[in-house]
Amino acid sequence: YPGAVAKQIQELIPGSAARVVRRISETQGMVFSRTKGLIGLLAALTFIVCSLSVTGILTAAVLERRPEMALLQAIGARRADVLWLFLAEMAILGIAGGVLAAITGPLLGQWLVSIVFGSTAELHLAVLLIAPFLGLALAWAGGLWPVWQAVNQDAALVLHGN
């Protein structure tokens, strides 16, 4: 790529001699690849931390709703039915969170780029499409374990304790 730019400069400015300074272009490439890796690592860590946070919140919510789950099982609902009911609730919450992230994320990103770099950032359609699915995955990853634990406990013992 740098060689193509140098050739274009020579073609546009007659009599000029444009040369690629390999050290600079290699250094820029290394900085760019390290920055890209760092951003990927931060994104993965953010996903993990958010998943742990969602797990904590959903665990508290499921603990409060254990009697409801036990009552559903006591009146004839199968464990799988109760599990799918709560997974559907988590899906709605996850998709809603993903849509909210798809709206606010690019806006905050553009604001940050304008403050730090003094330029504008491109809005990628992929972010708007992927964010709801990531929200869904995050909600299910964080909520599946507590719901599974609550559904697999003895309904009679839960109802007797309340």
Side-chain angles (χ1 to χ4, degrees), residues 75-92:
I75 61 174
R78 295 176 304 167
R79 289 180 178 173
D81 295 333
V82 177
L83 179 69
W84 281 111
L85 174 70
F86 280 86
L87 286 177
E89 286 182 20
M90 284 186 272
I92 292 169

Side-chain angles (χ1 to χ4, degrees), residues 1-145:
Y1 177 76
V5 172
K7 184 178 178 183
Q8 288 177 351
I9 290 172
Q10 286 178 349
E11 290 172 358
L12 290 173
I13 304 172
S16 67
R19 286 183 249 149
V20 177
V21 181
R22 297 260 180 236
R23 286 180 137 179
I24 294 175
S25 64
E26 288 173 2
T27 303
Q28 286 177 338
M30 285 177 28
V31 169
F32 179 70
S33 65
R34 287 183 182 174
T35 303
K36 190 175 177 182
L38 180 63
I39 290 173
L41 178 65
L42 287 174
L45 289 174
T46 301
F47 189 81
I48 291 168
V49 168
C50 287
S51 182
L52 292 173
S53 176
V54 167
T55 300
I57 292 168
L58 289 176
T59 299
V62 167
L63 285 175
E64 286 182 15
R65 295 180 69 186
R66 279 186 331 174
E68 177 185 343
M69 293 175 160
L71 184 60
L72 286 171
Q73 289 176 347
I75 61 174
R78 295 176 304 167
R79 289 180 178 173
D81 295 333
V82 177
L83 179 69
W84 281 111
L85 174 70
F86 280 86
L87 286 177
E89 286 182 20
M90 284 186 272
I92 292 169
L93 290 172
I95 291 171
V99 168
L100 184 63
I103 293 168
T104 59
L107 294 174
L108 291 173
Q110 286 181 346
W111 173 76
L112 185 63
V113 167
S114 70
I115 296 238
V116 173
F117 299 109
S119 64
T120 59
E122 292 182 29
L123 176 63
H124 295 282
L125 183 61
V127 172
L128 300 176
L129 297 175
I130 292 174
F133 292 109
L134 284 175
L136 174 65
L138 182 65
W140 276 350
L144 184 59
W145 179 252

